[in-house]
Amino acid sequence: MPDQLVAPYLSIDGLRATLVMIFAIAQIVVGSWPQIKKSDHSIAIRSANLDTPLIPFGPFFAIWLPIFALCMAYATWQILPSNLSDPFLRDIGFLAAGIFLANTLWEAYVPKYGLGWPSTFILATSACLGIWCVSLISQELPELSSYEYWLVAVPLLFLAGWLCLAVFANLSSTLVKAKSVLDPRTILGASILILIAGALVSQIGALSASLVFVSSAIWGLVGIITAIFIKDKPKPIAWVAGFAILLILYRTL
């Protein structure tokens, strides 16, 4: 009996499913550990030290709680013996594992070394893998069962949307740290980055027609608008973020 339980996992499908589960757990543990031990170098504190108008208001980062929960739901579903050979899960499994691994590396890197070009590259890699996932999921959406939609498509779409905006927030802090000519703390600098992020999300939203994907990015933009008013940053940046939300909704719907 034990051999029969283990045998399905001694394969490429088993390896893929196991890696997804390991990295899904790892991103939760590594991402939560600095907060648990109340580190002075957590991601939130690192971001605050290089505060830009593209950093959402603090409570909006609670979105990681449903993201982590959804990722674990997906990881649990795909590792069930009956699902190991599912063609859809095969197509996106290693991509999902790559996303979770990149997130874990980013969560480990930032508290220790701070935001910068390496962290931007890691997060951009995660976002690019997320976009790849969205493209594959979009092709399969009409054929998915309700279980596959809610336990596979929704978690990865929701995560990918957040990552597409998060990479620009990370980039904004990096540009400040690098003393770039494009200063995200100015109205022009922040507006350029927000418009690029909005154009990217709206284009993917138009191609995928996924409100799940754009919803997490819009959540981040609302967080940016909230932070601007609470922290009394230049208000025109909030109007640009509002325009980005309307553009995303218009193109997606």
Side-chain angles (χ1 to χ4, degrees):
M1 180 64 70
D3 290 343
Q4 293 178 344
L5 293 175
V6 173
Y9 296 95
L10 301 179
S11 63
I12 293 297
D13 289 333
L15 173 64
R16 181 203 69 236
T18 301
L19 289 176
V20 169
M21 175 60 77
I22 289 172
F23 294 142
I25 294 172
Q27 69 174 353
I28 296 174
V29 173
V30 176
S32 304
W33 182 246
Q35 282 72 38
I36 293 174
K37 70 174 187 175
K38 298 181 179 179
S39 171
D40 293 333
H41 302 289
S42 67
I43 294 174
I45 292 174
R46 293 285 194 183
S47 298
N49 291 338
L50 293 170
D51 192 19
T52 77
L54 272 79
I55 305 298
F57 185 53
F60 281 77
F61 286 100
I63 192 175
W64 279 109
L65 295 177
I67 285 176
F68 286 156
L70 287 169
C71 288
M72 281 305 303
Y74 156 64
T76 302
W77 172 258
Q78 59 89 49
I79 204 171
L80 295 176
S82 58
N83 294 331
L84 288 180
S85 60
D86 184 289
F88 176 52
L89 294 174
R90 279 176 174 168
D91 288 342
I92 63 173
F94 282 113
L95 286 176
I99 295 170
F100 299 162
L101 173 59
N103 288 345
T104 303
L105 294 175
W106 183 77
E107 292 164 345
Y109 181 91
V110 173
K112 188 170 183 178
Y113 300 105
L115 296 163
W117 291 115
S119 67
T120 301
F121 174 78
I122 295 170
L123 200 56
T125 299
S126 184
C128 288
L129 293 175
I131 293 170
W132 192 351
C133 255
V134 172
S135 69
L136 294 178
I137 290 171
S138 299
Q139 297 171 24
E140 299 290 337
L141 275 178
E143 308 299 326
L144 297 183
S145 68
S146 58
Y147 286 112
E148 289 174 322
Y149 176 74
W150 288 107
L151 295 175
V152 182
V154 167
L156 295 176
L157 290 170
F158 194 68
L159 173 58
W162 176 256
L163 290 174
C164 284
L165 190 69
V167 70
F168 285 92
N170 194 128
L171 176 60
S172 71
S173 295
T174 299
L175 292 174
V176 171
K177 188 175 182 178
K179 299 180 181 178
S180 170
V181 174
L182 180 63
D183 189 345
R185 293 170 297 186
T186 66
I187 294 175
L188 178 61
S191 297
I192 289 174
L193 291 179
I194 289 173
L195 288 174
I196 295 174
L200 173 64
V201 173
S202 68
Q203 179 63 22
I204 299 171
L207 294 174
S208 66
S210 173
L211 286 174
V212 175
F213 168 78
V214 301
S215 65
S216 54
I218 289 174
W219 174 263
L221 288 168
V222 173
I224 288 172
I225 294 172
T226 303
I228 287 170
F229 280 96
I230 288 178
K231 297 180 180 181
D232 198 27
K233 295 183 183 293
K235 301 303 184 291
I237 301 174
W239 311 138
V240 173
F243 171 78
I245 292 174
L246 294 176
L247 175 65
I248 291 169
L249 288 174
Y250 172 76
R251 298 207 63 201
T252 303
L253 297 174

